[in-house]
Amino acid sequence: MSNSVYQINKGINQSIEFKGLKAQYIWYLGGGVIVLMILFAIMYIAGLPSLICIGIIGISGTVWVLKIYKMSHKYGEYGMMKALAKRQIPKAVKSQSRKIFRMMK
């Protein structure tokens, strides 16, 4: 039998990255492309000229891609989830009575 040479996968447990986009931002970009395609179809069926449809979709798509890349570089893989979780933590807890501080007997 001949010996086989296998490549070792050094990317085990690494997040997915595609052209600088990390993790969930790839899904956001894909979802945005699908929404823009549906929007183009709706505008085209509604009777708008195709050049106007292409212009609107082109500008919106460019803005969407730039925004996704900006978020990907700003927050990284888990940063956006951490930022959203941090917003939900209250700055102060107010209580009108001291009843909650009494010890149970």
Side-chain angles (χ1 to χ4, degrees), residues 31-96:
V33 168
I34 290 171
V35 168
L36 288 173
M37 286 178 12
I38 293 170
L39 184 64
F40 176 82
I42 290 170
M43 288 190 302
Y44 188 75
I45 291 170
L48 270 105
S50 60
L51 286 177
I52 293 176
C53 295
I54 290 171
I56 292 171
I57 296 300
I59 291 169
S60 331
T62 303
V63 169
W64 183 252
V65 167
L66 292 175
K67 187 172 183 170
I68 294 294
Y69 268 98
K70 184 179 175 185
M71 285 192 313
S72 178
H73 290 301
K74 180 178 180 181
Y75 294 115
E77 185 177 355
Y78 301 112
M80 190 168 77
M81 289 184 281
K82 289 180 181 180
L84 292 174
K86 189 175 182 179
R87 282 168 145 197
Q88 294 179 350
I89 297 173
K91 295 192 186 318
V93 178
K94 294 181 181 180
S95 174
Q96 299 297 326

